[in-house]
Amino acid sequence: MTTTFDDILEEAGKFGRSQKRIFALLCMVSMPWAGVYVGIVFQGFTPTHWCRDPDVAERTRECGWSAEDARRLTAPLVNVSGLMEHSSCEQHQVDWNTTGLACDSLDLDLSGSPRTGCKHGWEYDYEGRRSFVTEFDLVCSDAWLVDMFQATLNIGFLIGSIAIGYLADRFGRKSSFLMASLLNGVAGILVAVAPNYLALLILRLLYGFGVKSGWVAGYVLITEIVGVEYRRTVGVVYQMFFSVGILLLPLLAYFITDWRWLQVVITMPYILFLSYYWFIPESPRWLLSQNKKAAAVKITEAMAKENRQTLSKKIESLSDDNAESLTASFMDLIRTPKMRKHTFILSFNWFTSAVVYQGLIMRLGILEGNVYVDFLISGLVEFPAAFLILFTIERIGRRLPFATANFVAGVSCFITAFIPDSESSQVTAPDPPQLTLRPAGVLWLKTLVACIGRLGITMTFEMVVFVNTELYPTFVRNLGVSVCSTLCDVGGIVAPFLLYRLAVIWLELPLIIFGSLAFVAGGLVLMLPETRGVPLPDTIEDIEFPERAKQRAAQAPQQLANLLPSDDVSSNKDPTTV
C-alpha cells in the first residue's frame, strides 16, 4: 500500500515549528510587492504644476517671490468643475520686454491677455521632492504616459502568471522563487537608474514578470507543505502581509523624497530573499512528482525532526498522490454549462477586484489632501478584511460574504462620488475671473466612505482566490485558477487608463465605473453555488450534477459500515469518521 505526502504530514506535523518558520519567511515576500504594486501613488505623483516662463522665473529668484506669486503671473484662470483655478497647461502670452516685469508687478491684471501652450517646460510645487512625473515632464499632453508605468507592470504580471505554472513545475518551487528574486533584484535596481522613460517602461515590465512569479511560487510552496486544513488560513495570512507593506509604503515615501531611491529601497528585500536558499526547502510534493523520492524523504525527515516528531516506516512507501491525474485543457473550463458559468463569473470577479482595488488606491494620488496620511488610513482598513473572511466563511458560507463585499464596495464608490467636496453646492465665475478656494467641507466623510469601499474590495480580492479553487474539479483546478486570475492582470492594465483619463472629464467619474463593476460582480457571485461543507469536486460531473456528488458522499460511510461486521463497529463512533 502506497503512502501519500498528506499521510506523512499526519506524523511529521501539519503545521509545526518547521512550517511556521518557513511560513514566516515567505510572508515577507508579500510586503515589498505592495511597494511594487501601488508605488505609483508616490513614485508617479503629479504635483501642482504650471507653465514655466523664464522671465518670471528669473524675477522670482531676484525678488524673492513665492511659487504662488510666479504661478499667478504665468498661468491664466480656467474653469475646473465649476471652480476657477490656475491652468496647468496654458500660460499668458506676454512680451515682458514691452510690458515690464519688476518686483512690484504682482498686481498686474493679465486676464485679457492671449493664451498659449507651455513653451519652456513646467514649474512644480513639490517641496524639494521628485517623482518620475516631474523628472520626465509627464503632464498635459504627455500625462497618458504615466498610465503606461502601471500598465507595463501589469503586463509583466500577466506574463509571469502564465509562465510561473510551467517554471514551477519544470524547475521546482524553490528554484523558481530564487530565480525570480534574482531577476527582481537586477530589474529593480535598473529601474532606479533608467536613463529615460522608454527604458523605464521596458525594465518595469521585466520587474513585474519577476515579482508576480516569485510571489506565486512562494504561495504554492507554503500551501504544499502544510496540512489540508491549514491551507486556507495560510493563504489568507500570506496575502494579509501585503497589507503590512501597504502601511510601510507611505512611511518610506515620506522620508525618501526621490522616486529613484524609493525604488532602490523597495527592491532591496528581493536581494535579501536570495539568502532563502539556505533557509527554505524545496516542496516534497514537487520532488515526488519528479520521481525524486530520496530528496523528498530527506526534506520530510528534516521537517519532522524540527517539529520534534518521529516518522514511522510508512515513509518508505511514500509516493506521488497525483501521479495518475488527468491532463487538463482550456476546453474543460468552458465545455459544459456550469463550468462555463463558473469560469465567466470568476474571471469577471478577478477583473473587477483588480480594477477597483488598484483604482481606489491610485485615486489617492490625484486627490487634494495629505496623500501620506490618506494612504496610511486607507491601508489600515485592509486588516479587518482578513479577519472578517476567516470569521464568516465557516459560519455563513462563501457566497453571501463574497457578494456582500462586492456590494459594499459598489455602494461606497457611488456614495463617495456624490458627496460634495465642499459645503457650497454652486459656484459662479466672476468677471474678471478670480481664484476660488476649495473649503474642507465634508471631505472627512468622503474619506470614511471610500475606506469602507476599500475594505469591501479587499475582501473580494482575498476571497476570489480560494473560492476559485473550490469551484473546479481536482484535475483542472490549477489551470482554472491560472486562467481566471489572468483577468486580474488584465484589470490592472486597464485600471490606470480608467482612472486617470476619466478623471480628466470628471474627478468622480471613475468611481461610477468602479461601483458599477462591483455591483455586477456581486450579482454574478449570487449565481454561484455555496461550497461551505461541500467536498472538493473531483470530476466535471461533480460540478454539473452536484446532487449526485452529495449523494455519493452521504452514502459512502453507510456503505463502509455495511461491509464491516456489526460487532466491530463501536456504538460511540460517528459513522462518518470510520
Side-chain angles (χ1 to χ4, degrees):
M1 181 177 177
T2 60
T3 303
T4 67
F5 185 70
D6 285 321
D7 296 331
I8 296 299
L9 277 181
E10 295 281 350
E11 299 178 354
K14 296 181 180 180
F15 193 53
R17 178 184 294 183
S18 177
Q19 288 100 324
K20 290 175 183 177
R21 175 182 60 80
I22 298 167
F23 177 53
L25 289 172
L26 290 176
C27 279
M28 300 299 105
V29 178
S30 290
M31 292 198 292
W33 191 26
V36 178
Y37 197 53
V38 293
I40 186 175
V41 174
F42 303 104
Q43 292 178 296
F45 185 75
T46 303
T48 299
H49 56 280
W50 59 94
C51 298
R52 185 178 187 277
D53 187 312
D55 293 323
V56 174
E58 183 179 352
R59 285 290 182 273
T60 298
R61 290 191 296 271
E62 294 175 355
C63 303
W65 291 343
S66 66
E68 185 58 36
D69 293 333
R71 187 184 182 193
R72 186 164 56 249
L73 284 172
T74 305
L77 291 172
V78 293
N79 190 310
V80 179
S81 300
L83 299 177
M84 301 306 296
E85 298 182 353
H86 289 292
S87 173
S88 298
C89 302
E90 291 183 323
Q91 67 181 80
H92 293 296
Q93 190 172 6
V94 180
D95 184 356
W96 294 112
N97 292 325
T98 58
T99 304
L101 183 63
C103 290
D104 58 356
S105 300
L106 293 177
D107 295 328
L108 282 175
D109 181 9
L110 300 173
S111 58
S113 62
R115 302 176 182 182
T116 185
C118 300
K119 298 178 178 179
H120 303 284
W122 287 264
E123 298 280 1
Y124 298 94
D125 185 12
Y126 203 28
E127 302 175 0
R129 295 178 175 271
R130 185 169 68 161
S131 69
F132 65 77
V133 172
T134 64
E135 180 174 338
F136 298 114
D137 283 336
L138 303 180
V139 292
C140 298
S141 62
D142 288 335
W144 67 274
L145 290 171
V146 178
D147 309 358
M148 294 300 299
F149 184 80
Q150 195 71 1
T152 52
L153 176 74
N154 280 277
I155 292 173
F157 284 170
L158 177 60
I159 299 172
S161 298
I162 297 171
I164 188 58
Y166 169 77
L167 294 174
D169 288 342
R170 175 68 178 82
F171 300 105
R173 285 51 164 146
K174 177 180 177 179
S175 298
S176 297
F177 172 79
L178 293 173
M179 287 189 293
S181 296
L182 178 60
L183 175 60
N184 295 338
V186 174
I189 295 299
L190 290 177
V191 167
V193 297
N196 54 63
Y197 196 62
L198 178 60
L200 176 64
L201 295 181
I202 295 173
L203 293 167
R204 180 83 167 161
L205 187 147
L206 292 175
Y207 197 37
F209 172 83
V211 169
K212 184 66 175 284
S213 299
W215 188 87
V216 172
Y219 183 91
V220 172
L221 175 57
I222 189 58
T223 55
E224 287 188 341
I225 63 173
V226 300
V228 176
E229 61 268 42
Y230 290 99
R231 288 180 188 172
R232 186 176 297 115
T233 301
V234 161
V236 171
V237 175
Y238 184 78
Q239 294 177 77
M240 191 178 72
F241 271 80
F242 179 90
S243 300
V244 177
I246 290 288
L247 293 182
L248 293 175
L249 181 59
L251 300 177
L252 291 173
Y254 181 79
F255 291 105
I256 302 173
T257 59
D258 190 307
W259 74 272
R260 292 183 183 271
W261 282 109
L262 181 59
Q263 174 65 34
V264 170
V265 172
I266 292 172
T267 301
M268 288 305 297
Y270 290 108
I271 298 175
L272 296 177
F273 292 154
L274 292 173
S275 66
Y276 282 16
Y277 175 84
W278 292 279
F279 300 112
I280 63 173
E282 181 55 87
S283 167
R285 293 182 193 271
W286 177 80
L287 291 170
L288 288 172
S289 72
Q290 302 298 305
N291 296 317
K292 298 179 179 180
K293 179 180 174 181
V297 168
K298 182 178 180 181
I299 291 173
T300 306
E301 290 176 339
M303 290 172 57
K305 182 178 180 181
E306 188 174 352
N307 291 340
R308 298 178 182 176
Q309 301 293 327
T310 303
L311 298 179
S312 67
K313 291 188 176 182
K314 287 199 301 183
I315 196 169
E316 296 175 0
S317 57
L318 183 63
S319 65
D320 180 18
D321 52 346
N322 293 313
E324 298 180 359
S325 60
L326 299 174
T327 301
S329 71
F330 174 75
M331 290 304 298
D332 291 319
L333 303 178
I334 59 174
R335 181 179 292 113
T336 56
K338 290 186 178 179
M339 287 287 287
R340 189 160 52 244
K341 181 181 73 172
H342 293 177
T343 300
F344 171 75
I345 294 175
L346 292 169
S347 296
F348 187 82
N349 270 269
W350 275 105
F351 176 83
T352 298
S353 297
V355 169
V356 180
Y357 183 82
Q358 286 196 52
L360 289 180
I361 292 182
M362 292 188 296
R363 182 174 176 270
L364 296 171
I366 62 175
L367 298 178
E368 295 185 358
N370 191 316
V371 65
Y372 304 98
V373 174
D374 292 345
F375 197 96
L376 187 64
I377 293 173
S378 65
L380 286 171
V381 304
E382 290 197 6
F383 284 94
F387 296 110
L388 284 172
I389 291 172
L390 295 174
F391 180 78
T392 58
I393 57 175
E394 298 301 339
R395 293 172 174 82
I396 300 175
R398 278 71 157 149
R399 182 174 58 182
L400 189 57
F402 192 7
T404 301
N406 269 303
F407 291 140
V408 167
V411 170
S412 299
C413 287
F414 284 132
I415 294 176
T416 303
F418 291 105
I419 295 177
D421 287 325
S422 63
E423 295 172 354
S424 59
S425 58
Q426 185 175 6
V427 178
T428 57
D431 188 19
Q434 296 179 5
L435 180 66
T436 306
L437 299 177
R438 294 178 181 264
V442 288
L443 188 60
W444 64 271
L445 182 59
K446 287 178 73 81
T447 302
L448 175 63
V449 177
C451 285
I452 295 174
R454 177 81 171 273
L455 172 64
I457 201 61
T458 300
M459 283 189 66
T460 66
F461 221 152
E462 294 181 357
M463 288 196 72
V464 70
V465 178
F466 64 82
V467 170
N468 204 154
T469 64
E470 294 178 341
L471 288 174
Y472 282 123
T474 303
F475 80 97
V476 78
R477 187 169 295 131
N478 287 338
L479 177 64
V481 174
S482 297
V483 169
C484 293
S485 63
T486 56
L487 269 293
C488 169
D489 301 315
V490 174
I493 296 170
V494 171
F497 294 97
L498 278 178
L499 175 70
Y500 296 129
R501 295 314 105 216
L502 293 181
V504 174
I505 301 172
W506 177 36
L507 184 61
E508 311 299 357
L509 183 56
L511 289 178
I512 304 299
I513 305 299
F514 299 158
S516 301
L517 287 172
F519 257 100
V520 173
L524 291 174
V525 166
L526 293 176
M527 298 172 63
L528 293 174
E530 177 56 64
T531 57
R532 179 173 71 100
V534 178
L536 288 175
D538 292 317
T539 65
I540 291 179
E541 183 178 297
D542 292 342
I543 297 293
E544 296 299 323
F545 305 102
E547 296 79 11
R548 298 180 187 177
K550 291 179 181 177
Q551 289 176 359
R552 287 198 304 270
Q555 293 172 357
Q558 185 61 43
Q559 292 172 348
L560 179 60
N562 292 338
L563 293 173
L564 296 173
S566 59
D567 57 348
D568 286 346
V569 182
S570 60
S571 59
N572 63 346
K573 293 284 187 180
D574 186 328
T576 59
T577 62
V578 175

